[in-house]
Amino acid sequence: KELPATLLCKPHPEGAFRGTTNPLSDFAKVSYQPFEEHLDDADVFVIDAPTSTTFLEIMCTQKRVVLIDRGHYPANPYVTSEIERRCEIVPVRYDDRGRLFVDAEQLSDAIFSSKAIDPTFFRRLAANVI
């Protein structure tokens, strides 16, 4: 919210707040439209669910991807190395109540990174999956 960027939150349609107002709306605009309708609008994608189909979709774009790593999704080491090359990865820490926190400076650095973007691996992966 404090970064010089316009934030649009797109929660998963089957998420915990399905059918109700998402509490994220207290902090930013929340979209209930299909994710694909926002692909052209975003400059950067920030995501915390690397097992979603949306993750593969955004990894195939020419746009920056920031992965909030909650530490819940171990992946094949070959794919992990490609994710590390393609994404900016921001780890989280948990407090004693199980709430997750992201370092604001790390998140800002990731969002505004100048890291080269190469979606080739994920485009080939998606072509083989479909």
Side-chain angles (χ1 to χ4, degrees), residues 32-33 59:
Y32 298 97
Q33 301 301 313
M59 295 293 271

Side-chain angles (χ1 to χ4, degrees), residues 64-129:
R64 184 150 327 286
V65 177
V66 177
L67 175 61
I68 305 298
D69 184 5
R70 296 182 290 155
H72 294 227
Y73 305 106
N76 175 302
Y78 178 66
V79 175
T80 298
S81 66
E82 294 297 333
I83 291 170
E84 291 169 352
R85 272 195 274 286
R86 173 67 179 90
C87 290
E88 294 289 342
I89 300 175
V90 178
V92 301
R93 68 174 176 79
Y94 292 88
D95 70 6
D96 58 349
R97 292 174 47 196
R99 296 176 300 177
L100 62 88
F101 292 87
V102 175
D103 181 274
E105 187 173 331
Q106 282 182 313
L107 181 60
S108 178
D109 289 349
I111 289 172
F112 298 106
S113 169
S114 59
K115 181 178 184 176
I117 298 168
D118 181 6
T120 304
F121 173 86
F122 294 95
R123 288 179 176 181
R124 288 182 179 147
L125 181 64
N128 288 325
V129 170

Side-chain angles (χ1 to χ4, degrees), residues 29-60:
K29 181 179 177 183
V30 174
S31 172
Y32 298 97
Q33 301 301 313
F35 169 78
E36 292 76 13
E37 291 187 20
H38 299 293
L39 278 172
D40 292 333
D41 300 335
D43 296 317
V44 178
F45 293 101
V46 179
I47 189 167
D48 68 348
T51 58
S52 71
T53 55
T54 301
F55 184 63
L56 182 57
E57 285 184 69
I58 64 176
M59 295 293 271
C60 292

